[in-house]
Amino acid sequence: MSALSFEQADLAQRLGAASAEDLDAIDFGVIGFDGDTIVRQYNRFESQAAGLSPASVLGLPLFTTVAPCMNNFMVAQRFEDAAADGGALDETIGYVLTLRMKPVKVLLRLLALPGAPMRYVLVQRRL
C-alpha cells in the first residue's frame, strides 16, 4: 500500500483496506473503532505518542474508557449524529488532548462511512 496522508481525500476507504502493518507505517495516530465504539485498531504512532500500549486499549470503549476527553459534542456526538443520519463524516477540527498527559494541541480528523464496519479518529500532532 502506498503512503497515506492525513489530508488524503479517500482516506476512510484506504484505512478500511489497510493491514495492521500498513497502519503502523503511518506518521499520525489512527484509532479505529466499531459501531459500539470498541477500539479495534490502534497504530504504533498513536501508541507511542499517547503512551498507551495496544493491549491496554484494544477491546475497550473509546469514548468512555480509552479517551473520555473526547466524549463530548465536538467528537463523540459527531459520530453519533452521522450514524443516526446515515451519512458520511469527514471533519477536521483543532482539539486539545488532556487525558493522562499535559494538554497537547492536535488536529483530529473524524471519519465514518455509511455501512462501513470501522470509524476512525485520526490524530495529527505536528501543527
Side-chain angles (χ1 to χ4, degrees):
M1 174 172 281
S2 61
L4 301 176
S5 72
F6 188 82
E7 301 83 14
Q8 190 167 334
D10 64 344
L11 193 52
Q13 296 91 332
R14 301 278 308 275
L15 290 171
S19 69
E21 293 77 22
D22 293 332
L23 295 178
D24 282 343
I26 297 173
D27 67 351
F28 54 86
V30 177
I31 305 169
F33 59 99
D34 64 20
D36 294 322
T37 75
I38 303 299
V39 177
R40 302 293 178 198
Q41 297 172 318
Y42 193 70
N43 76 335
R44 180 180 297 128
F45 185 96
E46 186 60 22
S47 174
Q48 292 172 347
L52 299 171
S53 70
S56 70
V57 171
L58 295 172
L60 296 176
L62 176 60
F63 298 118
T64 57
T65 304
V66 176
C69 64
M70 292 185 199
N71 192 12
N72 56 44
F73 73 97
M74 292 182 69
V75 182
Q77 188 65 50
R78 290 182 184 187
F79 285 102
E80 289 180 25
D81 291 347
D85 295 342
L89 173 65
D90 185 351
E91 293 188 37
T92 301
I93 61 171
Y95 202 73
V96 177
L97 296 176
T98 58
L99 185 66
R100 299 184 189 98
M101 62 186 83
K102 67 177 182 157
V104 177
K105 290 181 181 179
V106 298
L107 285 178
L108 296 181
R109 186 167 177 196
L110 315 178
L111 294 174
L113 294 174
M118 297 294 290
R119 299 182 277 174
Y120 300 93
V121 172
L122 309 179
V123 185
Q124 180 72 272
R125 284 176 166 79
R126 295 181 318 264
L127 296 179

